[in-house]
Amino acid sequence: MSVLDRFRLDGRTAILTGVGPGVGEHVAKAYAELGANVVISARSQDRLDRIAAEINALPGGRALAVVADAGEKADLEHLVVRARAAFGPIHIVFNNAAAGVVYARDGGLWANTDDVWKTAMDVNVMATWRLTELTETDMKAHGKGSIIAVQSCGGFTPIPPAVAYGVSKAALLFLVRELAKSQAPHTRINCLCVGSMSPDGHEAEIHKGLGLAERNAIKRFGAADEAVGAAVLLASDASSYTTGSTVFTEGGRVGTIS
């Protein structure tokens, strides 16, 4: 097998959550370009329909859009059933959905209400747990499973007042390590830590004043397509000996803390 062939995803079926303008859209299109059947999900039908149509318009592109809330177990069950019915066994899960961020303008620390905590844990932690359980049979059968949980710098460094979000992302880190141990060798499970990114690489209005770019070694926001290489690596045979690990695409924010 050539080096480039190791990155191919021909015939594999990938489920992606939290797909919208940004990392999810770019990764879905990259997986499709490399030969995967992609099943994209989010809570917005219009957004999903646009992305699926663009993928299906590509030569050999195969995409299915399924509306699903990653924090709802029934939605995830429906998502897996639809994916199997359309394309067969699942090979890849890219958990991109995230929730539970609280900003200072929302009321500070105590804006982390019980509902915020529940949402953060359901979407940021339990979705990975549930999708691992729901796809385990497929991945045991073909032995080429790859589950990727999108991590955040907030899981490594405090970002008050987003306490529920940060704690849930830290919990996700350990969940991935636990699952990597229990699901080997048929499934590899890793984190992809995505830093300050936006669809076009410019600071979003909601982030202004937080100094996110200044905390990075690279001193700028990332463009969403800059996470694609790592997402392809973790999904493909190019990382066949990698599990329980974290790949960072965060501009050096975590790796250069001082």
mmCIF file of all heavy atoms in Angstrom, residues 6 14 23 35 47 50 54 57 75 88 112 115 139 146 150 153 162 170 188 203 215 252:
data_model
loop_
_atom_site.group_PDB
_atom_site.id
_atom_site.type_symbol
_atom_site.label_atom_id
_atom_site.label_comp_id
_atom_site.label_asym_id
_atom_site.label_seq_id
_atom_site.Cartn_x
_atom_site.Cartn_y
_atom_site.Cartn_z
ATOM 1 N N ARG A 6 -2.933 4.966 2.215
ATOM 2 C CA ARG A 6 -3.284 4.754 3.618
ATOM 3 C C ARG A 6 -4.325 5.762 4.105
ATOM 4 O O ARG A 6 -4.990 5.528 5.112
ATOM 5 C CB ARG A 6 -2.037 4.840 4.502
ATOM 6 C CG ARG A 6 -1.047 3.696 4.288
ATOM 7 C CD ARG A 6 0.139 3.814 5.225
ATOM 8 N NE ARG A 6 1.099 2.747 4.984
ATOM 9 C CZ ARG A 6 1.016 1.533 5.521
ATOM 10 N NH1 ARG A 6 0.018 1.240 6.340
ATOM 11 N NH2 ARG A 6 1.916 0.616 5.245
ATOM 12 N N ALA A 14 -19.125 6.788 7.221
ATOM 13 C CA ALA A 14 -18.792 7.697 8.317
ATOM 14 C C ALA A 14 -20.035 8.442 8.777
ATOM 15 O O ALA A 14 -20.780 8.992 7.967
ATOM 16 C CB ALA A 14 -17.725 8.689 7.870
ATOM 17 N N VAL A 23 -15.748 23.234 10.895
ATOM 18 C CA VAL A 23 -14.993 21.981 10.890
ATOM 19 C C VAL A 23 -15.817 20.817 10.363
ATOM 20 O O VAL A 23 -15.363 20.040 9.519
ATOM 21 C CB VAL A 23 -14.465 21.676 12.307
ATOM 22 C CG1 VAL A 23 -13.847 20.280 12.357
ATOM 23 C CG2 VAL A 23 -13.434 22.718 12.734
ATOM 24 N N GLY A 35 -13.500 8.871 -0.609
ATOM 25 C CA GLY A 35 -14.214 7.650 -0.945
ATOM 26 C C GLY A 35 -15.225 7.153 0.063
ATOM 27 O O GLY A 35 -15.868 6.121 -0.155
ATOM 28 N N ARG A 47 -29.335 23.463 6.701
ATOM 29 C CA ARG A 47 -27.881 23.409 6.641
ATOM 30 C C ARG A 47 -27.414 22.047 6.146
ATOM 31 O O ARG A 47 -26.555 21.932 5.277
ATOM 32 C CB ARG A 47 -27.322 23.698 8.027
ATOM 33 C CG ARG A 47 -25.805 23.653 8.129
ATOM 34 C CD ARG A 47 -25.384 23.816 9.574
ATOM 35 N NE ARG A 47 -25.833 25.083 10.126
ATOM 36 C CZ ARG A 47 -25.811 25.380 11.423
ATOM 37 N NH1 ARG A 47 -25.377 24.484 12.290
ATOM 38 N NH2 ARG A 47 -26.223 26.553 11.853
ATOM 39 N N ARG A 50 -28.083 21.478 2.354
ATOM 40 C CA ARG A 50 -27.116 22.166 1.490
ATOM 41 C C ARG A 50 -25.810 21.386 1.399
ATOM 42 O O ARG A 50 -25.279 21.146 0.303
ATOM 43 C CB ARG A 50 -26.837 23.575 2.022
ATOM 44 C CG ARG A 50 -25.722 24.276 1.230
ATOM 45 C CD ARG A 50 -25.325 25.605 1.847
ATOM 46 N NE ARG A 50 -24.741 25.497 3.163
ATOM 47 C CZ ARG A 50 -23.475 25.146 3.408
ATOM 48 N NH1 ARG A 50 -22.659 24.818 2.401
ATOM 49 N NH2 ARG A 50 -23.005 25.107 4.632
ATOM 50 N N GLU A 54 -24.191 19.398 -1.914
ATOM 51 C CA GLU A 54 -22.873 19.728 -2.459
ATOM 52 C C GLU A 54 -21.978 18.488 -2.539
ATOM 53 O O GLU A 54 -21.220 18.323 -3.497
ATOM 54 C CB GLU A 54 -22.222 20.823 -1.612
ATOM 55 C CG GLU A 54 -22.920 22.176 -1.764
ATOM 56 C CD GLU A 54 -22.362 23.244 -0.847
ATOM 57 O OE1 GLU A 54 -21.371 22.967 -0.128
ATOM 58 O OE2 GLU A 54 -22.911 24.366 -0.840
ATOM 59 N N ALA A 57 -23.122 16.182 -5.364
ATOM 60 C CA ALA A 57 -22.823 16.737 -6.684
ATOM 61 C C ALA A 57 -21.387 16.454 -7.113
ATOM 62 O O ALA A 57 -21.048 16.621 -8.285
ATOM 63 C CB ALA A 57 -23.084 18.245 -6.692
ATOM 64 N N ASP A 75 -32.394 10.073 19.221
ATOM 65 C CA ASP A 75 -31.940 10.655 17.951
ATOM 66 C C ASP A 75 -30.700 9.930 17.432
ATOM 67 O O ASP A 75 -30.572 9.678 16.224
ATOM 68 C CB ASP A 75 -31.619 12.136 18.126
ATOM 69 C CG ASP A 75 -32.869 13.001 18.166
ATOM 70 O OD1 ASP A 75 -33.975 12.452 18.357
ATOM 71 O OD2 ASP A 75 -32.739 14.232 18.013
ATOM 72 N N GLY A 88 -24.823 0.586 4.840
ATOM 73 C CA GLY A 88 -24.236 -0.608 5.443
ATOM 74 C C GLY A 88 -23.500 -0.300 6.737
ATOM 75 O O GLY A 88 -23.726 0.734 7.371
ATOM 76 N N ASN A 112 -24.009 28.608 34.883
ATOM 77 C CA ASN A 112 -23.900 27.160 34.660
ATOM 78 C C ASN A 112 -24.982 26.461 35.491
ATOM 79 O O ASN A 112 -24.711 25.860 36.523
ATOM 80 C CB ASN A 112 -22.507 26.667 35.065
ATOM 81 C CG ASN A 112 -21.427 27.139 34.137
ATOM 82 O OD1 ASN A 112 -21.175 26.533 33.100
ATOM 83 N ND2 ASN A 112 -20.763 28.243 34.508
ATOM 84 N N ASP A 115 -29.479 22.770 33.986
ATOM 85 C CA ASP A 115 -29.779 22.463 32.586
ATOM 86 C C ASP A 115 -28.532 22.580 31.707
ATOM 87 O O ASP A 115 -28.330 21.777 30.794
ATOM 88 C CB ASP A 115 -30.867 23.404 32.055
ATOM 89 C CG ASP A 115 -32.254 23.058 32.585
ATOM 90 O OD1 ASP A 115 -32.435 21.926 33.089
ATOM 91 O OD2 ASP A 115 -33.144 23.924 32.500
ATOM 92 N N MET A 139 -18.265 -2.483 14.124
ATOM 93 C CA MET A 139 -16.821 -2.317 14.167
ATOM 94 C C MET A 139 -16.105 -3.594 14.602
ATOM 95 O O MET A 139 -14.993 -3.874 14.148
ATOM 96 C CB MET A 139 -16.468 -1.121 15.038
ATOM 97 C CG MET A 139 -17.016 0.181 14.434
ATOM 98 S SD MET A 139 -16.455 1.659 15.255
ATOM 99 C CE MET A 139 -17.231 2.942 14.239
ATOM 100 N N SER A 146 -13.019 3.506 13.667
ATOM 101 C CA SER A 146 -12.335 4.686 14.164
ATOM 102 C C SER A 146 -13.377 5.674 14.677
ATOM 103 O O SER A 146 -14.262 6.099 13.932
ATOM 104 C CB SER A 146 -11.502 5.358 13.078
ATOM 105 O OG SER A 146 -10.912 6.549 13.578
ATOM 106 N N VAL A 150 -14.227 15.219 19.101
ATOM 107 C CA VAL A 150 -13.640 16.543 18.975
ATOM 108 C C VAL A 150 -13.506 17.160 20.365
ATOM 109 O O VAL A 150 -14.487 17.353 21.083
ATOM 110 C CB VAL A 150 -14.469 17.438 18.041
ATOM 111 C CG1 VAL A 150 -13.901 18.860 18.038
ATOM 112 C CG2 VAL A 150 -14.448 16.866 16.627
ATOM 113 N N CYS A 153 -9.678 23.110 23.770
ATOM 114 C CA CYS A 153 -8.661 23.614 24.701
ATOM 115 C C CYS A 153 -9.249 23.765 26.104
ATOM 116 O O CYS A 153 -8.526 23.668 27.103
ATOM 117 C CB CYS A 153 -8.139 24.965 24.227
ATOM 118 S SG CYS A 153 -7.255 24.905 22.651
ATOM 119 N N ALA A 162 -17.093 29.265 31.598
ATOM 120 C CA ALA A 162 -17.633 28.073 30.927
ATOM 121 C C ALA A 162 -17.216 26.792 31.669
ATOM 122 O O ALA A 162 -16.549 25.923 31.118
ATOM 123 C CB ALA A 162 -17.180 28.035 29.476
ATOM 124 N N ALA A 170 -13.055 17.796 29.733
ATOM 125 C CA ALA A 170 -12.045 17.043 30.470
ATOM 126 C C ALA A 170 -12.509 15.612 30.703
ATOM 127 O O ALA A 170 -11.725 14.658 30.601
ATOM 128 C CB ALA A 170 -11.743 17.734 31.798
ATOM 129 N N ARG A 188 -10.411 1.957 17.088
ATOM 130 C CA ARG A 188 -9.494 2.951 17.636
ATOM 131 C C ARG A 188 -10.310 4.187 18.016
ATOM 132 O O ARG A 188 -11.192 4.603 17.271
ATOM 133 C CB ARG A 188 -8.423 3.325 16.615
ATOM 134 C CG ARG A 188 -7.521 2.166 16.222
ATOM 135 C CD ARG A 188 -6.489 2.580 15.186
ATOM 136 N NE ARG A 188 -7.097 3.054 13.942
ATOM 137 C CZ ARG A 188 -7.183 4.315 13.577
ATOM 138 N NH1 ARG A 188 -6.724 5.291 14.363
ATOM 139 N NH2 ARG A 188 -7.750 4.649 12.423
ATOM 140 N N GLU A 203 -11.911 36.140 13.488
ATOM 141 C CA GLU A 203 -12.498 36.086 14.821
ATOM 142 C C GLU A 203 -13.992 36.385 14.770
ATOM 143 O O GLU A 203 -14.419 37.421 14.243
ATOM 144 C CB GLU A 203 -11.798 37.089 15.735
ATOM 145 C CG GLU A 203 -12.207 36.981 17.182
ATOM 146 C CD GLU A 203 -11.392 37.917 18.065
ATOM 147 O OE1 GLU A 203 -10.892 38.938 17.545
ATOM 148 O OE2 GLU A 203 -11.256 37.623 19.256
ATOM 149 N N ARG A 215 -3.634 33.805 22.844
ATOM 150 C CA ARG A 215 -3.175 32.697 23.688
ATOM 151 C C ARG A 215 -2.467 31.614 22.884
ATOM 152 O O ARG A 215 -1.839 30.727 23.445
ATOM 153 C CB ARG A 215 -4.368 32.073 24.417
ATOM 154 C CG ARG A 215 -5.115 33.033 25.323
ATOM 155 C CD ARG A 215 -6.268 32.332 26.009
ATOM 156 N NE ARG A 215 -7.180 33.287 26.628
ATOM 157 C CZ ARG A 215 -8.250 32.938 27.326
ATOM 158 N NH1 ARG A 215 -8.544 31.662 27.491
ATOM 159 N NH2 ARG A 215 -9.029 33.859 27.849
ATOM 160 N N GLY A 252 -1.115 25.739 18.978
ATOM 161 C CA GLY A 252 -0.111 25.699 20.035
ATOM 162 C C GLY A 252 -0.577 26.207 21.369
ATOM 163 O O GLY A 252 0.219 26.385 22.290
#
